Amino acid sequence: MSTPASTLTSLATNRAPDDTLLVWDETRWEAAVDNWTDLPGATIDLRIGQGAASYGAIFVATFSAEALASHPDNNAVVNATVFFGDAPAAPVSANHRFVTARGNPEWSSHSMIRVAEFPPAFQARDVTARVKVRTSSGATAGFQNWVLRIDRYNL
């Protein structure tokens, strides 16, 4: 089921999140993937609607990792973003690089923040958060020592 694109362009709140969820792993994972692929383990189960904690929510995802990109020509990128259900969170564009291949690849720390808004609705929905990655052609992505944090604001 597709989720609607967020219309949220800013958020001001004077309250703590209703829930903060964390998952992390230090295991090194490297792969060449030219389609959006789940980063193993970087998943947090989330539901809204009937039978869930709320009928709507705003989720703020923070993802941090040590990452690298390698390519024989030192000219490639690794994209990473957070999907809620089967849709990418905002903001995201066609040119959102998480790490770039340059020279002698080394592990370096990177972070991103993404937001998804789901208006209240009675229908139960699975909006599980997943970090997904993809590489440009011929590139290899590497991730280790990552953490995914989701702050949930019920509507």
Side-chain angles (χ1 to χ4, degrees), residues 130-146:
R130 291 178 173 81
V131 174
K132 293 186 177 248
V133 301
R134 69 178 178 193
T135 63
S136 42
S137 181
T140 298
F143 291 85
Q144 66 183 14
N145 300 322
W146 56 261

Side-chain angles (χ1 to χ4, degrees), residues 72-124:
D73 297 330
N74 294 322
N75 184 20
V77 299
V78 173
N79 300 115
T81 199
V82 178
F83 280 66
F84 286 89
D86 59 1
V92 68
S93 70
N95 189 24
H96 64 284
R97 303 158 184 223
F98 192 74
V99 64
T100 304
R102 291 191 183 137
N104 298 318
E106 291 188 21
W107 294 92
S108 56
S109 294
H110 300 266
S111 294
M112 68 176 161
I113 298 174
R114 298 288 185 262
V115 178
E117 176 186 21
F118 296 92
F122 188 70
Q123 178 184 1

Side-chain angles (χ1 to χ4, degrees), residues 12-118:
T13 183
N14 60 358
R15 65 180 173 109
D18 293 293
D19 253 333
T20 296
L21 305 147
L22 296 163
V23 63
W24 62 88
D25 194 353
E26 69 276 352
T27 305
R28 180 178 293 184
W29 178 81
E30 294 184 55
V33 290
D34 58 3
N35 292 314
W36 285 116
T37 302
D38 290 351
L39 178 64
T43 301
I44 296 178
D45 184 51
L46 299 168
R47 301 191 187 280
I48 54 175
Q50 185 179 17
S54 67
Y55 289 98
I58 295 171
F59 297 103
V60 179
T62 304
F63 175 71
S64 296
E66 292 172 0
L68 67 74
S70 60
H71 187 275
D73 297 330
N74 294 322
N75 184 20
V77 299
V78 173
N79 300 115
T81 199
V82 178
F83 280 66
F84 286 89
D86 59 1
V92 68
S93 70
N95 189 24
H96 64 284
R97 303 158 184 223
F98 192 74
V99 64
T100 304
R102 291 191 183 137
N104 298 318
E106 291 188 21
W107 294 92
S108 56
S109 294
H110 300 266
S111 294
M112 68 176 161
I113 298 174
R114 298 288 185 262
V115 178
E117 176 186 21
F118 296 92

